[in-house]
């Protein structure tokens, strides 16, 4: 395969009066992994969309192997050997994996008849070659986000791209999946493919980058050595020193405020995703829920919010049964909720930033009274939150959908954390936000805990769970298989996440035979309730 | 080793555990109880009104042949009262079966519903036709007459919405197609030219819709209604200014004659209905098959659906979203235009003002009732056509049912079908969403 050298010269892209890219020069050498670092809204995605032919640059040129090229559509860029994995999924949910992979360059027989067998085989070949297992016949909408990301990567690989753009592919991946991706990236580099890799996780940058370019507010502000420390990279990116460690006092847990009792939740197909989970959450503590994606975390949070009616069991908040409440009522009961998929459940893209900041609050004072809305209060609130959470937006009247990915996330977090809460539950609260914003959001979550609010953090990001949580519950196949303190070793957490419940192995991993049973609640949570267990076993065999 | 341990795929979820399964079963039982109970109650009503409400000793006669076409089949005479009672009992039996047999079995649900509907209908017909004669074969023929344009219009709707553009303008495409076909066939004296003109006329209306929806990003529902009014006005004007004064010259087309397919048209009862028809109906059969298979099995279909579900994703793999939409909506317009042509050169033989009379909107309902699938839409259109034909037949029979009610019948059935039976369906995600690039 002939390698390809790519140069961006003086690329400028304006959206109205906003300059998203300001005379950016960037060279990607054949066979290198080139990391783009930059805050939320710095213009990384915009630059890549220009390169990929989706946005037309206001000025500047793209030079491929010495010849200037013009990419008017993504098709042109693809033809030139450029592939891209987008920050937000570009998959058709109702199509199968194979259909998504072949879309745009379909294998056909006479009359344009789809050759599904060949398409499927192509997917399976790639799966075998790169070890990215996924069922070609599965519907994409049924796949957990980690697997969807895999499909995106397969889509890019199937076209034999010579330059591969990866826009925050790891934001939704578990550490193991990320490791797999790195393996793929390295082997692609061996074969001469150059890769532009965007991420906010500095560890990853250090692990794979050959070269690093830092962008701030639309301009290239310099390059960095992959050997530089994380703190150095962070401050170069944000333009100020960043504290990468979460500072918090030990928790002062009070009485039990929130409790799940044998909660059982099914997915749309009637499969048990949350299996008789018992859980107690105390005032002023952060409970982290760790686990590999797809082990019931999504359904658990949906059930708590009322998006999914539990099949059995109960949810109690401050002594009140909230099991059957609608999402509206649950929010009114004082539950703050950050959903895992911000684009889908967190914001309304066509609405403005200020509207999105009061989305679920407009029916109540101070923003409204159920009949009319007070526009001034809404705007004042928006200005305040935008400043407080450092949301990078052109104005508070900008449609939220045009914000950069990280800034959309900040909008969701800002909305949910800006009212008095009785409980706060967040899925991947810092997905896609830069280190500076992450620092801030983490501080806010700890502050929320310190005023007594019970907090649940669901994250596949082990670092985040360990940094924030006062207790960590590990979910595996719909059950809480263990509750450990954040001091537990990575090996122990890893084993629990893999569903290993051999006490001896766990104790060895923990380096402390007493650790597993240190907390009394573990015993009940672990095997779920004694009487539920045998029934579940029977059904399982039936 | 740690690697193998730590990367368990989120495996196939487990069977429902005890509590969950119990809850699910309870819900299914409740649903079965409600539906089954409904069947029994309606069955009781049928027993009272249709069974006991019919005098004993008289027959209901159903004609099974239309003279001059297909093999001769004798009339069907049934003892009205006895049959109605039997059917009412069958309705109730379906209800009981729904409750007693496996409540969460989908097949049982469908089967019992099917039995109920047919039995109820037969009971009703026995009562209505008691002592008289109704041509069942004639009703079937009228069904096809009403359904043919509806099916073509619904195909146009399916293609449009699947590509992300709501085609409210089917009505306008019908009208313009009917007008274009009548005019051209009259002037050129060629039915084929008329048919092509009808398709082109419908295609033009489709193109108009596409231009305003894609290029000028106009709200598609409003746009469609406006286009329908525009076409109605335009054809109405041309009709009164041009066609009516010179009807011989401009509004006097031939009609496509029917052709019987050997063997197939010899099937008793349905043979002549389905296989002794004119070329537009045969064309409709072909289009149904082609559109259905093309939509789900060809590159064109895959891309059309991608554009209608997630245009941004389609764009990122190099598919030209707006061009695809232009093409598909225009093509859909052509198909609806053929449906319009059927109204003039396929049946009546002349154009008249507003002759589509709302069929375009019914076709749209068929799209939704058919869950955006061509074959589903066909079933919906046939159902509407059947009830319409039934209503017409009963009107001429002078049954105790008020005529106004009979005129409403097909629409009532459609409303109930769309509202009640369709249940939770999801339209194409990007229907009515213009695609504007950054
Ligand atoms: N389609 C658009 N219309 C208007 N403004 C846009 C559009 N796309 C991006 N922007 C603006 O351009 C700026 C750069 O956004 P971009 O998505 O490139 O940031 P980013 O560096 O990828 O950030 P993140 O790390 O959060 O993904 C932001 O201020 C964003 O609001
Ligand atoms: Mg981005």
């Amino acid at each position: 395969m002939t390698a390809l050298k790519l140069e961006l010269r003086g690329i400028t892209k304006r959206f109205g009066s906003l300059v998203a890219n300001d005379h950016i020069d960037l060279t990607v050498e054949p066979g290198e992994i080139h990391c783009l670092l930059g805050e939320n809204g710095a213009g990384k995605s915009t630059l890549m969309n220009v390169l990929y032919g989706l946005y037309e640059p206001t000025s500047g040129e793209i030079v491929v192997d010495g010849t200037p090229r013009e990419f008017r559509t993504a098709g042109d860029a693809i033809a030139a050997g450029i592939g891209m994995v987008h920050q937000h999924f570009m998959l058709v949910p109702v199509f199968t994996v194979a259909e998504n992979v072949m879309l745009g360059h379909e294998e056909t027989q006479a009359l344009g008849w789809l050759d599904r067998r060949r398409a499927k085989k192509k997917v399976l070949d790639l799966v075998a070659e790169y070890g990215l297992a996924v069922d070609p016949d599965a519907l994409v909408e049924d796949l957990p986000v980690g697997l969807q990301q895999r499909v995106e990567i397969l889509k890019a690989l199937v076209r034999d791209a010579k330059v591969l753009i990866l826009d925050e592919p790891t934001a939704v991946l578990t550490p193991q999946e990320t490791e797999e991706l790195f393996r793929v990236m390295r082997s692609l580099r061996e074969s001469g493919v150059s890769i532009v890799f965007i991420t906010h996780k500095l560890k990853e940058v250090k692990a794979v980058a050959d070269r690093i370019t830092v962008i701030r507010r639309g301009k290239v502000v310099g390059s960095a050595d992959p050997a530089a420390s994380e703190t150095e990279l962070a401050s170069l990116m944000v333009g100020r020193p960043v504290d990468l460690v979460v500072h918090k006092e030990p928790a002062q847990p009070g009485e039990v405020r929130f409790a799940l009792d044998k909660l059982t939740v099914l997915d749309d197909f009637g499969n048990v995703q949350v299996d008789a989970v018992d859980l107690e959450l105390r005032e002023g503590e952060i409970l982290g829920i760790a686990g590999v994606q797809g082990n019931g975390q999504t359904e658990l949070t949906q059930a708590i919010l009322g998006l999914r009616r539990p099949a059995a069991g109960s949810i109690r908040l401050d002594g009140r049964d909230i099991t059957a409440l609608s999402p509206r009522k649950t929010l009114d009961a004082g539950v703050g909720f950050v959903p895992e998929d911000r684009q889908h459940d967190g914001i309304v893209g066509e609405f403005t930033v200020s509207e999105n900041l009061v989305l679920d609050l407009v029916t109540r004072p101070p923003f409204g009274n159920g009949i009319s809305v007070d526009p001034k209060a809404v705007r004042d609130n928006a200005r305040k939150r935008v400043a407080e959470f450092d949301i990078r937006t052109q104005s508070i009247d900008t449609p939220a959908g045009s914000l950069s990915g990280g800034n959309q996330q900040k909008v969701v977090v800002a909305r949910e954390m800006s009212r008095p809460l009785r409980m706060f539950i967040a899925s991947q609260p810092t997905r896609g936000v830069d280190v500076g914003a992450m620092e801030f959001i983490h501080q806010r979550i700890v502050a929320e805990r310190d005023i007594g609010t019970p907090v649940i953090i669901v994250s596949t990001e082990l670092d985040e769970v360990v940094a924030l949580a006062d207790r960590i519950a590990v979910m595996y196949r719909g059950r809480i298989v263990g509750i450990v303190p954040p001091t537990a070793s990575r090996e122990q957490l890893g084993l629990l996440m893999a569903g290993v419940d051999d006490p001896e192995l766990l104790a060895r991993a923990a380096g402390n035979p007493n650790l597993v049973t240190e907390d009394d609640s573990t015993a009940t949570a672990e095997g779920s309730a004694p009487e539920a267990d045998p029934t579940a076993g029977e059904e399982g065999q039936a | 080793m740690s690697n193998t341990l730590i990367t368990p795929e989120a495996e196939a979820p487990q069977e429902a555990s005890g509590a969950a399964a119990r809850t699910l079963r309870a819900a299914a039982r409740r649903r079965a109880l409600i539906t089954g109970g409904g069947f029994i109650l309606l069955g009781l009503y049928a027993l009272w009104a249709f069974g006991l409400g019919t005098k004993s000793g008289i027959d209901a006669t159903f004609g099974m042949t239309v003279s001059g076409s297909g093999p001769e089949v004798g009339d069907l005479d049934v003892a009205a009262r006895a049959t109605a009672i039997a059917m009412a009992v069958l309705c109730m039996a379906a209800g009981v079966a729904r409750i007693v047999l496996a409540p969460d079995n989908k097949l049982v649900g469908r089967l019992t519903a099917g039995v109920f509907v047919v039995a109820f209908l037969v009971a009703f017909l026995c009562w209505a036709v008691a002592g008289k004669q109704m041509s069942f074969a004639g009703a079937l023929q009228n069904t096809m007459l009403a359904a043919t344009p509806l099916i073509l219009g619904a195909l146009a709707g399916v293609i449009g919405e699947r590509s992300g553009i709501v085609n409210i303008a089917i009505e306008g495409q019908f009208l313009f197609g009917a007008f274009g076909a009548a005019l051209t066939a009259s002037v050129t004296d060629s039915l084929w030219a008329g048919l092509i003109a009808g398709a082109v006329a419908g295609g033009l209306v489709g193109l108009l819709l596409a231009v305003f929806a894609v290029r000028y990003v106009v709200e598609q529902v409003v746009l469609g209604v406006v286009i329908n009014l525009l076409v109605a006005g335009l054809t109405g004007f041309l009709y009164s200014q041009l066609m009516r004064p010179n009807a011989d010259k401009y509004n006097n087309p031939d009609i496509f004659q029917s052709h019987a397919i050997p063997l197939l048209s010899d099937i008793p009862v349905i043979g002549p209905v389905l296989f002794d028809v004119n070329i537009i109906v045969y064309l409709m059969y072909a289009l149904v098959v082609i559109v259905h298979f093309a939509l789900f099995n060809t590159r064109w279909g895959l891309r059309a659906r991608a554009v209608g579900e997630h245009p941004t994703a389609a764009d990122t793999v190099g598919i030209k979203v707006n061009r695809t939409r232009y093409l598909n909506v225009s093509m859909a317009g052509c198909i609806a235009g053929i449906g319009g042509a059927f109204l003039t050169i396929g049946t009546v033989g002349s154009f008249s003002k507003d002759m589509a009379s709302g069929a375009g909107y019914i076709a749209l309902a068929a799209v939704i009732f058919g869950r955006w699938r061509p074959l589903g839409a066909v079933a919906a259109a046939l159902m509407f056509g059947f009830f319409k034909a039934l209503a017409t037949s009963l009107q001429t029979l002078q049954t105790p049912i008020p005529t106004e009610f009979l005129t409403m019948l097909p629409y009532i059935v459609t409303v109930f079908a769309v509202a009640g039976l369709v249940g939770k369906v999801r339209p194409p995600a990007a229907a009515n969403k213009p695609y504007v690039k950054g």
Side-chain angles (χ1 to χ4, degrees), chain B residues 15-83:
Chain B
E15 291 281 308
S17 72
R22 268 196 302 282
T23 336
L24 276 184
R25 272 199 299 273
R29 254 199 304 278
R30 212 168 34 243
R31 268 199 312 277
L33 213 60
I34 293 171
T35 342
F39 287 177
I40 295 175
L41 284 180
L42 285 169
L44 278 172
Y45 175 80
L47 186 66
W48 172 72
F50 306 146
L52 306 178
T54 307
K55 282 202 218 79
S56 57
I58 43 176
D59 282 358
T61 309
F62 297 97
M64 288 299 172
T65 347
V66 175
S67 58
S69 63
E72 197 66 34
V73 181
D75 289 352
L76 187 66
D77 284 324
V78 294
R81 185 184 170 102
T83 316

Side-chain angles (χ1 to χ4, degrees), chain B residues 37 232 239 296 316 416:
Chain B
Y239 173 70
F296 297 108
T316 59
F416 273 97

Side-chain angles (χ1 to χ4, degrees), chain A residues 52-55 72 74-75 78 86 89-92 94-95 99 102-106 108 112-114 116 141 147 150 155 159 176 264 266-267 271-273 275 292-294 311-312 476-477 494-495 497-498 500 536 539, chain B residues 1 3-25 293-294 296-303 305-306 309-310 312-320 424 426 433 435 437-438:
Chain A
Y52 192 61
L54 288 176
Y55 291 165
R72 300 190 142 267
I78 293 169
H86 297 264
F89 289 134
M90 291 299 168
L91 299 171
V92 181
V94 296
F95 283 8
E99 284 171 339
M102 72 170 148
L103 185 66
H105 66 142
E106 299 82 358
T108 54
W113 199 264
L114 295 174
R116 289 211 155 84
E141 64 185 345
L147 284 186
R150 243 181 233 193
K155 250 172 82 182
R159 287 155 204 248
Q176 293 76 36
T264 302
L266 313 181
D267 62 18
N271 299 309
V272 174
Q273 291 293 355
D275 194 0
V292 176
Q293 182 87 40
Y476 176 72
R477 296 242 199 148
L495 286 172
M497 282 166 74
V500 177
E539 289 282 335
Chain B
M1 108 153 206
N3 212 20
T4 47
L5 265 177
I6 301 178
T7 42
E9 283 306 308
E11 271 164 43
Q14 324 150 40
E15 291 281 308
S17 72
R22 268 196 302 282
T23 336
L24 276 184
R25 272 199 299 273
F293 283 99
F296 297 108
N297 292 298
T298 65
R299 171 165 52 200
W300 167 78
L302 191 74
R303 291 185 172 193
R305 287 183 294 135
E309 287 288 343
H310 197 330
T312 322
D315 194 6
T316 59
V317 291
I319 295 171
K320 299 198 171 77
K424 208 176 80 181
R426 194 173 51 179
K433 298 234 172 73
Y435 181 64
K437 270 176 104 160

Side-chain angles (χ1 to χ4, degrees), chain A residues 322-491:
Chain A
I322 62 163
T323 319
L325 293 191
S326 65
R328 160 91 271 148
K329 295 235 171 74
T330 311
L331 292 169
D332 286 347
V335 176
F337 178 68
V338 175
E340 66 175 350
D341 186 346
R342 61 172 172 252
Q343 285 244 304
H344 204 260
D345 307 317
I347 61 163
V348 181
E350 297 91 33
F351 285 16
T352 65
V353 171
S354 57
E355 287 164 343
N356 269 289
L357 280 168
V358 291
L359 216 47
D360 55 347
L361 311 171
V362 278
T363 55
R364 273 174 301 165
F367 303 116
N369 52 21
I371 299 167
S372 65
V373 175
D374 178 357
K376 186 169 174 311
V378 171
R379 299 180 63 83
D380 287 346
N381 171 71
R383 283 198 202 93
K384 213 164 98 202
R385 299 302 161 211
V386 164
E388 186 182 355
F389 283 81
D390 189 23
I391 298 168
R392 304 280 169 87
T393 172
Q394 216 172 340
S395 82
I396 56 170
D397 299 318
T398 307
S402 76
L403 260 53
S404 81
N407 282 305
Q408 292 179 8
Q409 182 75 17
K410 290 190 221 166
V411 169
V412 179
V413 175
R415 176 183 67 224
E416 296 302 320
M417 297 198 82
S418 57
R419 62 190 168 113
L421 294 178
R422 304 195 69 86
M423 169 185 176
F424 181 62
I425 171 161
S427 271
Q428 327 284 359
T430 56
R431 168 182 292 182
V433 306
D434 63 44
V435 283
M438 187 183 316
E439 177 191 22
F440 177 76
I441 292 175
H442 283 168
Q443 278 167 6
R444 282 295 300 250
I445 291 175
V446 172
E448 194 69 50
R449 175 201 78 168
D450 288 344
I451 59 170
T453 312
V455 176
I456 294 183
I457 299 295
V458 182
S459 182
T460 50
E461 199 69 43
L462 215 43
D463 288 333
E464 178 160 57
V465 175
V466 169
L468 278 176
D470 302 310
R471 280 194 300 153
I472 301 174
V474 181
M475 266 190 104
Y476 176 72
R477 296 242 199 148
R479 290 167 184 241
I480 304 279
V481 289
I483 296 187
V484 295
T487 48
S489 72
R490 289 300 166 107
E491 285 72 30

Side-chain angles (χ1 to χ4, degrees), chain A residues 39-46 87-88 167-168 198 200 342 403-406 432:
Chain A
E39 309 171 274
N40 296 130
K44 305 177 297 288
S45 299
T46 305
Q87 181 168 11
H88 294 123
D167 192 354
E168 291 191 40
I198 300 176
H200 288 291
R342 61 172 172 252
L403 260 53
S404 81

Side-chain angles (χ1 to χ4, degrees), chain A residues 138-410:
Chain A
L139 279 185
V140 162
E141 64 185 345
D142 298 338
L143 296 178
V145 284
L147 284 186
Q148 292 191 17
Q149 188 62 270
R150 243 181 233 193
V151 179
E152 283 284 19
I153 293 162
L154 289 176
K155 250 172 82 182
L157 291 176
V158 79
R159 287 155 204 248
D160 292 325
K162 291 171 195 146
V163 177
L164 190 59
I165 304 165
L166 300 172
D167 192 354
E168 291 191 40
T170 58
V172 294
L173 297 185
T174 60
Q176 293 76 36
E177 288 170 324
T178 302
E179 224 12 88
E180 254 170 39
L181 175 64
F182 286 174
R183 204 166 32 67
V184 173
M185 283 166 64
R186 290 192 188 103
S187 86
L188 286 172
R189 175 175 58 187
E190 293 311 308
S191 59
V193 176
S194 34
I195 296 173
V196 181
F197 179 55
I198 300 176
T199 180
H200 288 291
K201 301 177 190 172
L202 302 172
K203 234 185 228 157
E204 298 175 357
V205 175
K206 288 175 61 62
V208 289
D210 296 317
R211 226 144 48 98
I212 302 172
T213 298
V214 183
I215 299 180
R216 203 186 308 146
R217 299 194 184 251
K219 292 196 175 107
V220 172
V221 294
S223 53
D225 185 349
S229 77
E230 285 185 39
T231 341
E232 282 174 86
L233 289 175
S235 58
L236 190 58
M237 185 168 142
V238 187
R240 65 176 166 88
V242 178
D243 204 339
L244 295 173
V245 187
V246 180
H247 293 284
K248 57 174 182 138
E249 303 292 315
Q252 310 281 327
E255 69 209 80
V256 173
R257 294 273 300 274
F258 176 82
L260 303 180
D261 183 27
K262 296 199 189 58
L263 189 73
T264 302
V265 188
L266 313 181
D267 62 18
D268 294 342
F269 307 102
N271 299 309
V272 174
Q273 291 293 355
V274 177
D275 194 0
V277 163
D278 289 319
L279 201 63
E280 285 186 345
L281 185 60
R282 291 172 182 278
E283 176 159 329
E285 74 164 347
I286 299 177
L287 175 76
I289 295 187
V292 176
Q293 182 87 40
N295 276 286
Q297 302 97 315
T298 310
E299 287 77 9
L300 179 64
T301 56
Q302 284 174 338
I304 294 175
L305 191 72
L307 284 169
R308 194 176 275 282
R309 165 91 39 118
S314 71
I315 307 169
R316 301 184 77 80
L317 177 65
D318 292 329
R320 177 177 170 207
D321 192 329
I322 62 163
T323 319
L325 293 191
S326 65
R328 160 91 271 148
K329 295 235 171 74
T330 311
L331 292 169
D332 286 347
V335 176
F337 178 68
V338 175
E340 66 175 350
D341 186 346
R342 61 172 172 252
Q343 285 244 304
H344 204 260
D345 307 317
I347 61 163
V348 181
E350 297 91 33
F351 285 16
T352 65
V353 171
S354 57
E355 287 164 343
N356 269 289
L357 280 168
V358 291
L359 216 47
D360 55 347
L361 311 171
V362 278
T363 55
R364 273 174 301 165
F367 303 116
N369 52 21
I371 299 167
S372 65
V373 175
D374 178 357
K376 186 169 174 311
V378 171
R379 299 180 63 83
D380 287 346
N381 171 71
R383 283 198 202 93
K384 213 164 98 202
R385 299 302 161 211
V386 164
E388 186 182 355
F389 283 81
D390 189 23
I391 298 168
R392 304 280 169 87
T393 172
Q394 216 172 340
S395 82
I396 56 170
D397 299 318
T398 307
S402 76
L403 260 53
S404 81
N407 282 305
Q408 292 179 8
Q409 182 75 17
K410 290 190 221 166

